[in-house]
Amino acid sequence: EYSPVITPEEESMIFTYRGKESMGGLVNGFDKPDPNGDYNEDIFISKKMNGTWQKPTCMTELSTIGNDAVIALSPDGGQLFVFKAEGDNGDIYVSKRENGKYGTPVKLAGEVNSKSWEGSVSLSTDHKNLFFASNRPGGLGGKDLYVATQTADGSWGNIKNLGDKINTKYDEDA
């Protein structure tokens, strides 16, 4: 279990799980059943009742047989950011909270996702800046940190590398 986020009301903890309860069980690199394979990541939730965390359950509306991981929660709890693996790369998705439930994740609109790996993300408290990690071409190292700004239509654009005060020739992530 890793990458936990707590909802603002502190009534739910959502996290990434990889183990015997993962959807699909043991799978190979093509997500086909394989007793010698690995478990893929899924998204689980535990709710707090009377001050006690309950047994976690899989959030099937957010998880698939592929790798699905929690990467962040917006400061107001209204947006849950999810990483979905796609071959050797992966993209950032967002699930909106309505009536206390998170819906099916949709790929983040705009220019953040590319043919490269995009992973870790953090949303500013005013919801206008999205900080994320990517190994896209043109960076200073393997993975670099970038910022995107929200455009008038709600998508993310104006991507900028955070520069050499933040990024190095090594990996920056999370």
Side-chain angles (χ1 to χ4, degrees), residues 1 10 16 19 21 30 39 45 50 52 72 79 83 98-99 102 111 113 119 126 128 131 139 145 147 159-160 162 171:
E1 295 88 14
E10 297 184 7
T16 304
E21 294 181 39
F30 302 102
Y39 296 107
I45 187 169
N50 300 321
T52 303
Q79 299 176 74
F83 170 84
E98 294 179 17
N99 300 319
Y102 290 98
E111 302 169 3
N113 291 316
D126 64 5
K128 294 181 181 179
F131 297 88
L145 299 179
V147 64
I159 308 298
K160 291 186 180 160
L162 292 181
D171 283 338

Side-chain angles (χ1 to χ4, degrees), residues 34-47:
D34 183 346
N36 297 312
D38 293 313
Y39 296 107
N40 279 340
E41 297 169 318
D42 284 319
I43 300 170
F44 274 60
I45 187 169
S46 176
K47 297 199 177 223

Side-chain angles (χ1 to χ4, degrees), residues 2-167:
Y2 46 96
S3 300
V5 296
I6 306 283
T7 56
E9 307 82 20
E10 297 184 7
E11 92 291 350
S12 296
M13 176 175 26
I14 304 167
F15 60 92
T16 304
Y17 170 84
R18 175 182 268 171
K20 291 181 181 180
E21 294 181 39
S22 292
M23 292 177 68
L26 291 167
V27 295
N28 63 23
F30 302 102
D31 293 333
K32 301 293 182 204
D34 183 346
N36 297 312
D38 293 313
Y39 296 107
N40 279 340
E41 297 169 318
D42 284 319
I43 300 170
F44 274 60
I45 187 169
S46 176
K47 297 199 177 223
K48 190 190 284 185
M49 296 182 133
N50 300 321
T52 303
W53 292 105
Q54 303 302 300
K55 180 176 170 47
T57 58
C58 183
M59 296 181 76
T60 56
E61 64 276 21
L62 303 178
S63 299
T64 65
I65 291 175
N67 279 307
D68 307 287
V70 172
I71 51 178
L73 185 64
S74 65
D76 64 1
Q79 299 176 74
L80 180 66
F81 294 92
V82 175
F83 170 84
K84 290 186 170 285
E86 296 173 356
D88 291 336
N89 294 316
D91 284 323
I92 300 169
Y93 286 66
V94 63
S95 171
K96 305 272 178 144
R97 185 177 185 183
E98 294 179 17
N99 300 319
K101 295 198 127 212
Y102 290 98
T104 302
V106 295
K107 194 177 271 195
L108 204 60
E111 302 169 3
V112 170
N113 291 316
S114 69
K115 292 182 180 179
S116 299
W117 176 93
E118 279 77 35
S120 305
V121 67
S122 182
L123 183 65
S124 64
T125 55
D126 64 5
H127 291 216
K128 294 181 181 179
N129 294 295
L130 186 86
F131 297 88
F132 67 98
S134 177
N135 67 355
R136 62 185 57 204
L140 301 176
K143 294 176 186 172
D144 279 358
L145 299 179
Y146 294 81
V147 64
T149 54
Q150 193 167 44
T151 63
D153 68 3
S155 66
W156 296 98
N158 194 27
I159 308 298
K160 291 186 180 160
N161 185 295
L162 292 181
D164 63 4
K165 298 277 192 265
I166 300 291
N167 293 306

